[in-house]
Protein backbone atom coordinates (compact mmCIF):
# COMPACT_ATOMS: atom_id res chain seq x y z
CA UNK A 1 0.00 0.00 0.00
CA UNK A 2 2.86 2.40 0.81
CA UNK A 3 5.43 0.76 -1.46
CA UNK A 4 8.43 3.02 -1.95
CA UNK A 5 6.72 6.09 -0.46
CA UNK A 6 9.15 8.32 1.46
CA UNK A 7 7.86 9.30 4.85
CA UNK A 8 9.57 11.59 7.35
CA UNK A 9 8.46 10.45 10.80
CA UNK A 10 8.86 13.31 13.29
CA UNK A 11 8.83 12.17 16.91
CA UNK A 12 8.49 14.81 19.63
CA UNK A 13 8.83 14.73 23.39
CA UNK A 14 5.68 13.26 24.86
CA UNK A 15 4.99 10.08 26.76
CA UNK A 16 3.24 8.72 23.65
CA UNK A 17 6.60 8.75 21.81
CA UNK A 18 6.96 5.03 22.55
CA UNK A 19 3.90 4.38 20.34
CA UNK A 20 5.73 6.02 17.41
CA UNK A 21 7.91 2.89 17.43
CA UNK A 22 4.85 0.80 16.53
CA UNK A 23 3.78 3.36 13.91
CA UNK A 24 7.30 3.24 12.40
CA UNK A 25 7.20 -0.56 12.25
CA UNK A 26 3.77 -0.58 10.57
CA UNK A 27 4.88 2.00 7.98
CA UNK A 28 7.99 -0.04 7.14
CA UNK A 29 5.89 -3.23 6.95
CA UNK A 30 3.59 -1.45 4.49
CA UNK A 31 6.60 -0.80 2.25
CA UNK A 32 7.42 2.83 3.12
CA UNK A 33 10.92 4.29 3.38
CA UNK A 34 10.84 5.91 6.80
CA UNK A 35 13.26 8.66 7.86
CA UNK A 36 12.86 9.24 11.60
CA UNK A 37 13.55 12.74 12.91
CA UNK A 38 13.73 12.85 16.69
CA UNK A 39 13.58 16.08 18.67
CA UNK A 40 15.72 16.49 21.77
CA UNK A 41 12.51 16.12 23.82
CA UNK A 42 11.74 12.79 22.15
CA UNK A 43 15.12 11.44 23.21
CA UNK A 44 13.99 11.74 26.85
CA UNK A 45 11.31 9.15 26.12
CA UNK A 46 12.66 6.86 23.39
CA UNK A 47 16.08 5.75 22.17
CA UNK A 48 17.62 6.53 18.82
CA UNK A 49 18.74 2.90 18.47
CA UNK A 50 15.17 1.62 18.51
CA UNK A 51 14.23 3.70 15.48
CA UNK A 52 17.55 3.03 13.72
CA UNK A 53 16.89 -0.70 14.04
CA UNK A 54 13.33 -0.44 12.67
CA UNK A 55 13.42 2.29 10.05
CA UNK A 56 14.87 2.00 6.57
CA UNK A 57 16.70 5.32 6.82
CA UNK A 58 19.05 6.58 9.56
CA UNK A 59 17.69 8.60 12.48
CA UNK A 60 18.35 12.34 12.25
CA UNK A 61 18.32 14.69 15.17
CA UNK A 62 19.95 17.97 14.33
CA UNK A 63 20.20 20.78 11.81
CA UNK A 64 23.96 20.78 12.35
CA UNK A 65 24.92 17.22 11.38
CA UNK A 66 28.08 16.52 9.43
CA UNK A 67 26.49 14.55 6.57
CA UNK A 68 24.47 17.35 5.03
CA UNK A 69 24.69 21.11 5.53
CA UNK A 70 20.96 21.54 4.85
CA UNK A 71 19.26 18.38 6.12
CA UNK A 72 15.85 20.05 6.53
CA UNK A 73 15.50 21.02 2.86
CA UNK A 74 16.76 17.61 1.76
CA UNK A 75 14.23 15.89 4.01
CA UNK A 76 11.41 18.31 3.21
CA UNK A 77 11.90 18.21 -0.56
CA UNK A 78 12.38 14.44 -0.72
CA UNK A 79 9.38 13.48 1.39
CA UNK A 80 6.09 12.19 0.00
CA UNK A 81 4.58 12.88 3.42
CA UNK A 82 5.67 14.22 6.81
CA UNK A 83 4.07 12.52 9.82
CA UNK A 84 4.47 14.00 13.31
CA UNK A 85 3.66 11.39 15.94
CA UNK A 86 3.16 12.35 18.68
CA UNK A 87 2.72 16.08 18.07
CA UNK A 88 3.12 18.04 21.28
CA UNK A 89 1.55 21.43 22.01
CA UNK A 90 4.95 23.00 21.32
CA UNK A 91 5.47 21.58 17.83
CA UNK A 92 1.86 22.43 16.89
CA UNK A 93 2.37 26.02 17.98
CA UNK A 94 5.78 26.31 16.25
CA UNK A 95 4.39 24.88 13.02
CA UNK A 96 1.42 27.24 13.08
CA UNK A 97 3.70 30.27 13.36
CA UNK A 98 6.46 28.95 11.08
CA UNK A 99 9.03 28.98 13.88
CA UNK A 100 11.76 26.62 12.71
CA UNK A 101 14.35 26.15 15.43
CA UNK A 102 15.19 22.46 15.14
CA UNK A 103 15.40 19.85 12.40
CA UNK A 104 11.75 18.77 12.65
CA UNK A 105 10.20 22.26 12.68
CA UNK A 106 12.54 23.37 9.87
CA UNK A 107 11.53 20.31 7.82
CA UNK A 108 7.84 21.07 8.37
CA UNK A 109 8.31 24.60 7.07
CA UNK A 110 10.54 23.45 4.19
CA UNK A 111 8.20 20.81 2.77
CA UNK A 112 5.43 20.96 0.19
CA UNK A 113 4.44 17.36 0.92
CA UNK A 114 1.22 16.65 2.84
CA UNK A 115 1.64 16.78 6.60
CA UNK A 116 -0.17 14.57 9.11
CA UNK A 117 -0.13 15.63 12.77
CA UNK A 118 -1.11 13.27 15.59
CA UNK A 119 -1.62 15.43 18.69
CA UNK A 120 -1.18 13.81 22.09
CA UNK A 121 -1.30 15.71 25.36
CA UNK A 122 -3.21 16.12 28.59
CA UNK A 123 -6.93 16.93 28.32
CA UNK A 124 -6.50 20.44 29.72
CA UNK A 125 -3.89 21.23 27.08
CA UNK A 126 -5.86 19.57 24.27
CA UNK A 127 -8.96 21.60 25.12
CA UNK A 128 -7.05 24.88 25.57
CA UNK A 129 -8.24 27.58 23.17
CA UNK A 130 -4.66 28.19 21.95
CA UNK A 131 -4.19 24.57 20.88
CA UNK A 132 -7.61 24.36 19.23
CA UNK A 133 -7.02 27.64 17.42
CA UNK A 134 -3.58 26.50 16.20
CA UNK A 135 -5.06 23.25 14.92
CA UNK A 136 -7.91 25.11 13.22
CA UNK A 137 -5.43 27.31 11.36
CA UNK A 138 -3.30 24.32 10.39
CA UNK A 139 -6.36 22.34 9.25
CA UNK A 140 -7.49 25.30 7.14
CA UNK A 141 -4.04 25.20 5.47
CA UNK A 142 -4.69 21.59 4.50
CA UNK A 143 -2.72 19.89 7.30
CA UNK A 144 -4.26 16.52 8.21
CA UNK A 145 -4.92 16.08 11.91
CA UNK A 146 -5.55 12.69 13.47
CA UNK A 147 -7.66 13.63 16.47
CA UNK A 148 -6.60 11.97 19.72
CA UNK A 149 -8.67 9.33 21.48
CA UNK A 150 -10.09 9.44 24.97
CA UNK A 151 -8.45 7.15 27.49
CA UNK A 152 -5.63 6.78 30.00
CA UNK A 153 -3.06 9.55 29.95
CA UNK A 154 0.30 10.02 31.67
CA UNK A 155 0.17 10.15 35.48
CA UNK A 156 -2.97 8.00 35.66
CA UNK A 157 -5.37 10.69 34.39
CA UNK A 158 -8.18 9.76 32.02
CA UNK A 159 -9.63 11.97 29.27
CA UNK A 160 -9.28 13.27 25.72
CA UNK A 161 -5.73 13.68 24.42
CA UNK A 162 -4.45 10.11 24.19
CA UNK A 163 -2.53 9.47 20.95
CA UNK A 164 -4.77 7.90 18.30
CA UNK A 165 -4.44 4.19 17.76
CA UNK A 166 -1.40 3.34 15.52
CA UNK A 167 -3.73 1.54 13.06
CA UNK A 168 -5.79 4.73 12.63
CA UNK A 169 -2.63 6.79 12.14
CA UNK A 170 -1.29 4.46 9.44
CA UNK A 171 -4.75 4.29 7.79
CA UNK A 172 -4.73 8.11 7.63
CA UNK A 173 -1.27 8.10 6.01
CA UNK A 174 -2.50 5.54 3.47
CA UNK A 175 -5.60 7.61 2.77
CA UNK A 176 -3.62 10.84 2.32
CA UNK A 177 -1.13 9.15 -0.03
CA UNK A 178 -3.76 7.05 -1.76
CA UNK A 179 -5.83 7.99 -4.79
CA UNK A 180 -8.63 9.33 -2.54
CA UNK A 181 -11.55 7.29 -1.24
CA UNK A 182 -14.13 9.43 -3.10
CA UNK A 183 -12.58 9.20 -6.58
CA UNK A 184 -15.39 8.57 -9.09
CA UNK A 185 -18.01 9.81 -6.62
CA UNK A 186 -20.16 12.90 -7.12
CA UNK A 187 -21.01 14.70 -3.89
CA UNK A 188 -23.67 17.41 -3.79
CA UNK A 189 -23.34 19.72 -0.77
CA UNK A 190 -25.72 22.50 0.26
CA UNK A 191 -24.44 25.37 2.38
CA UNK A 192 -25.59 28.54 4.08
CA UNK A 193 -28.91 29.90 5.27
CA UNK A 194 -31.75 30.68 2.87
CA UNK A 195 -33.31 34.16 2.69
CA UNK A 196 -37.06 34.50 2.22
CA UNK A 197 -37.95 37.90 0.81
CA UNK A 198 -40.55 40.08 2.55
CA UNK A 199 -40.10 43.09 0.28
CA UNK A 200 -37.26 44.31 -1.99
CA UNK A 201 -35.00 45.10 0.99
CA UNK A 202 -36.01 42.76 3.80
CA UNK A 203 -35.92 39.02 4.27
CA UNK A 204 -36.45 36.29 6.86
CA UNK A 205 -33.10 34.58 7.38
CA UNK A 206 -31.07 32.57 9.86
CA UNK A 207 -27.58 32.58 11.37
CA UNK A 208 -25.98 29.95 9.12
CA UNK A 209 -22.64 31.13 7.65
CA UNK A 210 -22.08 28.27 5.20
CA UNK A 211 -18.71 27.38 6.80
CA UNK A 212 -19.62 23.77 7.57
CA UNK A 213 -20.89 23.24 4.02
CA UNK A 214 -17.72 24.78 2.52
CA UNK A 215 -15.57 22.52 4.73
CA UNK A 216 -17.54 19.50 3.48
CA UNK A 217 -17.10 20.59 -0.14
CA UNK A 218 -13.33 21.13 0.32
CA UNK A 219 -12.88 17.82 2.11
CA UNK A 220 -14.85 15.91 -0.56
CA UNK A 221 -12.81 17.65 -3.29
CA UNK A 222 -9.52 16.70 -1.60
CA UNK A 223 -10.65 13.08 -1.36
CA UNK A 224 -11.13 12.94 -5.11
CA UNK A 225 -14.89 13.58 -5.44
CA UNK A 226 -16.57 15.69 -8.12
CA UNK A 227 -18.32 18.28 -6.00
CA UNK A 228 -21.50 20.24 -6.71
CA UNK A 229 -22.10 23.06 -4.23
CA UNK A 230 -25.48 24.75 -3.87
CA UNK A 231 -25.00 27.70 -1.57
CA UNK A 232 -26.59 30.95 -0.43
CA UNK A 233 -23.20 32.46 0.47
CA UNK A 234 -20.34 32.82 -2.04
CA UNK A 235 -17.69 30.20 -1.19
CA UNK A 236 -13.97 30.97 -0.67
CA UNK A 237 -12.47 31.86 -4.09
CA UNK A 238 -10.04 28.94 -4.09
CA UNK A 239 -12.67 26.23 -3.50
CA UNK A 240 -12.69 25.31 -7.18
CA UNK A 241 -15.90 23.25 -7.39
CA UNK A 242 -19.10 23.55 -9.47
CA UNK A 243 -21.10 26.20 -7.60
CA UNK A 244 -24.75 27.26 -7.83
CA UNK A 245 -25.50 30.45 -5.94
CA UNK A 246 -29.12 30.64 -4.73
CA UNK A 247 -31.04 32.73 -2.25
CA UNK A 248 -34.40 31.28 -1.21
CA UNK A 249 -35.56 27.81 -0.16
CA UNK A 250 -37.46 27.53 -3.46
CA UNK A 251 -34.31 28.34 -5.47
CA UNK A 252 -32.27 25.89 -3.41
CA UNK A 253 -34.93 23.23 -3.99
CA UNK A 254 -34.82 23.83 -7.73
CA UNK A 255 -31.00 23.77 -7.91
CA UNK A 256 -30.72 20.61 -5.81
CA UNK A 257 -33.40 18.76 -7.77
CA UNK A 258 -31.78 19.72 -11.09
CA UNK A 259 -28.40 18.23 -10.02
CA UNK A 260 -29.28 15.48 -7.54
CA UNK A 261 -29.72 12.77 -10.20
CA UNK A 262 -25.95 12.96 -10.84
CA UNK A 263 -25.06 12.77 -7.16
CA UNK A 264 -23.96 9.61 -5.38
CA UNK A 265 -23.95 11.47 -2.07
CA UNK A 266 -26.10 14.45 -1.05
CA UNK A 267 -25.18 16.36 2.10
CA UNK A 268 -27.86 18.85 3.15
CA UNK A 269 -25.79 21.10 5.40
CA UNK A 270 -27.79 24.23 4.51
CA UNK A 271 -30.17 25.81 6.99
CA UNK A 272 -33.27 25.91 4.81
CA UNK A 273 -36.22 28.05 5.89
CA UNK A 274 -39.24 25.98 6.89
CA UNK A 275 -41.66 28.82 6.02
CA UNK A 276 -41.73 31.61 3.46
CA UNK A 277 -43.99 34.65 3.05
CA UNK A 278 -47.05 33.93 0.91
CA UNK A 279 -46.70 37.35 -0.71
CA UNK A 280 -43.63 39.47 -1.38
CA UNK A 281 -44.34 43.20 -1.44
CA UNK A 282 -43.34 44.82 -4.77
CA UNK A 283 -42.07 47.96 -3.06
CA UNK A 284 -40.49 48.66 0.31
CA UNK A 285 -42.97 48.41 3.20
CA UNK A 286 -43.27 51.81 4.91
CA UNK A 287 -43.23 52.29 8.68
CA UNK A 288 -46.12 54.75 8.53
CA UNK A 289 -48.33 51.92 7.26
CA UNK A 290 -47.92 50.20 10.65
CA UNK A 291 -46.61 46.73 11.53
CA UNK A 292 -47.02 44.44 8.50
CA UNK A 293 -48.94 41.20 8.73
CA UNK A 294 -46.70 38.59 7.16
CA UNK A 295 -48.50 35.36 6.36
CA UNK A 296 -46.20 32.37 5.95
CA UNK A 297 -46.58 29.10 4.12
CA UNK A 298 -44.38 25.97 4.32
CA UNK A 299 -41.45 25.51 1.95
CA UNK A 300 -40.69 22.17 0.32
CA UNK A 301 -38.63 19.98 2.66
CA UNK A 302 -35.80 19.21 0.23
CA UNK A 303 -34.19 16.50 2.35
CA UNK A 304 -37.50 14.71 2.89
CA UNK A 305 -38.26 14.91 -0.84
CA UNK A 306 -34.83 13.46 -1.69
CA UNK A 307 -35.43 10.78 0.96
CA UNK A 308 -38.67 9.73 -0.75
CA UNK A 309 -37.10 9.49 -4.21
CA UNK A 310 -33.51 8.41 -3.52
CA UNK A 311 -31.83 5.68 -5.56
CA UNK A 312 -30.75 2.54 -3.73
CA UNK A 313 -27.08 3.49 -4.22
CA UNK A 314 -27.45 7.14 -3.12
CA UNK A 315 -26.35 8.25 0.34
CA UNK A 316 -28.37 11.04 1.91
CA UNK A 317 -26.97 13.05 4.81
CA UNK A 318 -29.05 15.55 6.78
CA UNK A 319 -28.11 18.03 9.46
CA UNK A 320 -30.10 19.00 12.53
CA UNK A 321 -29.36 22.20 14.42
CA UNK A 322 -31.09 21.82 17.76
CA UNK A 323 -31.24 23.62 21.07
CA UNK A 324 -32.85 20.85 23.15
CA UNK A 325 -33.54 17.08 23.02
CA UNK A 326 -30.77 16.93 20.44
CA UNK A 327 -30.38 13.15 20.13
CA UNK A 328 -34.13 12.40 20.12
CA UNK A 329 -34.83 15.09 17.50
CA UNK A 330 -31.94 13.86 15.35
CA UNK A 331 -33.06 10.24 15.40
CA UNK A 332 -36.61 11.37 14.60
CA UNK A 333 -35.36 13.37 11.57
CA UNK A 334 -33.20 10.45 10.40
CA UNK A 335 -36.28 8.23 10.16
CA UNK A 336 -38.85 10.85 9.16
CA UNK A 337 -36.76 12.16 6.25
CA UNK A 338 -35.42 8.71 5.25
CA UNK A 339 -31.80 9.93 5.48
CA UNK A 340 -28.88 7.51 5.79
CA UNK A 341 -26.96 9.71 8.22
CA UNK A 342 -28.04 12.64 10.35
CA UNK A 343 -25.47 15.04 11.80
CA UNK A 344 -26.81 16.72 14.93
CA UNK A 345 -25.40 19.68 16.78
CA UNK A 346 -26.54 21.56 19.86
CA UNK A 347 -26.27 25.14 18.62
CA UNK A 348 -26.87 26.54 22.11
CA UNK A 349 -23.46 25.19 23.25
CA UNK A 350 -20.42 27.55 23.14
CA UNK A 351 -18.35 27.38 19.93
CA UNK A 352 -20.87 25.11 18.20
CA UNK A 353 -22.64 25.59 14.88
CA UNK A 354 -23.68 28.88 13.32
CA UNK A 355 -20.96 31.42 12.48
CA UNK A 356 -18.21 29.55 14.36
CA UNK A 357 -15.13 27.92 12.82
CA UNK A 358 -15.64 24.99 15.16
CA UNK A 359 -18.43 22.50 15.65
CA UNK A 360 -19.31 19.59 17.91
CA UNK A 361 -21.64 16.96 16.45
CA UNK A 362 -23.05 13.49 16.84
CA UNK A 363 -23.40 11.49 13.62
CA UNK A 364 -26.45 9.22 13.75
CA UNK A 365 -27.06 6.28 11.43
CA UNK A 366 -29.58 3.49 11.76
CA UNK A 367 -26.91 1.27 13.31
CA UNK A 368 -24.26 3.71 14.47
CA UNK A 369 -23.73 6.79 16.58
CA UNK A 370 -20.44 8.70 16.63
CA UNK A 371 -19.48 11.66 18.79
CA UNK A 372 -17.19 14.25 17.22
CA UNK A 373 -15.94 16.47 20.08
CA UNK A 374 -15.54 20.25 19.59
CA UNK A 375 -13.11 20.74 16.73
CA UNK A 376 -12.50 22.59 13.46
CA UNK A 377 -15.32 22.32 10.91
CA UNK A 378 -12.88 20.73 8.43
CA UNK A 379 -12.32 17.86 10.87
CA UNK A 380 -16.07 17.53 11.39
CA UNK A 381 -16.38 17.35 7.59
CA UNK A 382 -13.75 14.61 7.54
CA UNK A 383 -15.64 12.58 10.16
CA UNK A 384 -18.93 12.99 8.23
CA UNK A 385 -17.33 11.80 4.98
CA UNK A 386 -15.61 8.92 6.81
CA UNK A 387 -19.10 7.88 7.97
CA UNK A 388 -20.39 8.17 4.39
CA UNK A 389 -17.54 5.97 3.10
CA UNK A 390 -18.15 3.42 5.89
CA UNK A 391 -21.89 3.43 5.12
CA UNK A 392 -21.28 2.78 1.40
CA UNK A 393 -18.81 -0.03 2.03
CA UNK A 394 -21.11 -1.67 4.62
CA UNK A 395 -23.95 -1.51 2.10
CA UNK A 396 -21.90 -3.04 -0.70
CA UNK A 397 -20.83 -6.08 1.37
N1 LIG B 1 -34.18 20.81 5.25
C1 LIG B 1 -34.54 20.78 3.91
N2 LIG B 1 -35.58 21.54 3.47
C2 LIG B 1 -36.29 22.32 4.32
C3 LIG B 1 -35.93 22.34 5.70
C4 LIG B 1 -34.87 21.57 6.11
O1 LIG B 1 -33.90 20.09 3.12
N3 LIG B 1 -37.29 23.04 3.86
C5 LIG B 1 -33.05 19.96 5.68
C6 LIG B 1 -31.89 20.73 6.25
O2 LIG B 1 -30.95 21.08 5.25
C7 LIG B 1 -31.31 19.72 7.22
C8 LIG B 1 -32.49 18.92 7.69
O3 LIG B 1 -33.52 19.14 6.71
O4 LIG B 1 -30.41 18.83 6.58
C9 LIG B 1 -33.02 19.27 9.03
O5 LIG B 1 -33.53 20.55 9.03
P1 LIG B 1 -34.34 21.14 10.27
O6 LIG B 1 -34.79 22.52 9.93
O7 LIG B 1 -33.53 20.95 11.52
O8 LIG B 1 -35.57 20.11 10.35
P2 LIG B 1 -37.09 20.34 10.37
O9 LIG B 1 -37.71 19.09 9.84
O10 LIG B 1 -37.43 21.60 9.67
O11 LIG B 1 -37.44 20.39 11.91
P3 LIG B 1 -37.46 21.61 12.96
O12 LIG B 1 -37.10 22.87 12.19
O13 LIG B 1 -38.83 21.60 13.48
O14 LIG B 1 -36.42 21.24 13.96
Amino acid sequence: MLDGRRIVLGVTGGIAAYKAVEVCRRLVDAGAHVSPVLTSGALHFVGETTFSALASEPVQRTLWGEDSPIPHTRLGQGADLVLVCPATARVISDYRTGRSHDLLTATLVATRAPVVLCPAMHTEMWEHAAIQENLSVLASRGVHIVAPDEGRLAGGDVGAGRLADPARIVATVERVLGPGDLVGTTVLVTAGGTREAIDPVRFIGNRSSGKQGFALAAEARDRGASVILVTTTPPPPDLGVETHLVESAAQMHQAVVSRSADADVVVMAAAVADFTPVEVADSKLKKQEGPPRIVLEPTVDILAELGRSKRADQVLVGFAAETHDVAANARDKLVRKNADLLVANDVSAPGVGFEHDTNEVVIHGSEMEQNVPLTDKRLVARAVLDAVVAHRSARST
Side-chain angles (χ1 to χ4, degrees), residues 78-138:
D80 292 316
L81 182 141
V82 179
L83 169 67
V84 184
C85 170
T88 54
R90 183 187 62 80
V91 80
I92 290 167
S93 138
D94 287 347
Y95 185 30
R96 186 249 165 113
T97 55
R99 186 166 176 264
S100 53
H101 56 94
D102 63 9
L103 181 57
L104 178 58
T105 47
T107 302
L108 283 167
V109 177
T111 194
R112 292 198 176 133
V115 173
V116 177
L117 296 184
C118 309
M121 60 197 76
H122 255 75
T123 309
E124 293 81 352
M125 294 174 78
W126 168 248
E127 289 177 352
H128 195 283
I131 301 298
Q132 288 302 321
E133 191 196 304
N134 287 340
L135 288 169
S136 281
V137 171
L138 290 169

Side-chain angles (χ1 to χ4, degrees), residues 23-98:
V23 171
C24 179
R25 189 188 62 77
R26 285 179 185 239
L27 293 172
V28 171
D29 285 353
H33 292 298
V34 180
S35 302
V37 172
L38 271 60
T39 64
S40 54
L43 291 165
H44 289 289
F45 294 92
V46 283
E48 189 176 331
T49 323
T50 315
F51 285 93
S52 293
L54 280 174
S56 38
E57 307 293 326
V59 169
Q60 300 193 51
R61 290 183 287 109
T62 170
L63 276 165
W64 316 112
E66 280 164 18
D67 294 350
S68 163
I70 44 168
H72 57 297
T73 50
R74 198 179 54 74
L75 280 167
Q77 287 166 356
D80 292 316
L81 182 141
V82 179
L83 169 67
V84 184
C85 170
T88 54
R90 183 187 62 80
V91 80
I92 290 167
S93 138
D94 287 347
Y95 185 30
R96 186 249 165 113
T97 55

Side-chain angles (χ1 to χ4, degrees), residues 259-274:
R259 297 299 284 116
S260 60
D262 286 343
D264 304 296
V265 180
V266 180
V267 187
M268 285 294 305
V272 187
D274 290 329

Side-chain angles (χ1 to χ4, degrees), residues 268 270 272-274 299-303 318-320 333 336-337:
M268 285 294 305
V272 187
D274 290 329
T299 57
V300 175
D301 190 320
I302 307 167
L303 180 62
F319 270 69
K333 281 174 195 175
R336 188 159 45 85
K337 304 197 185 202

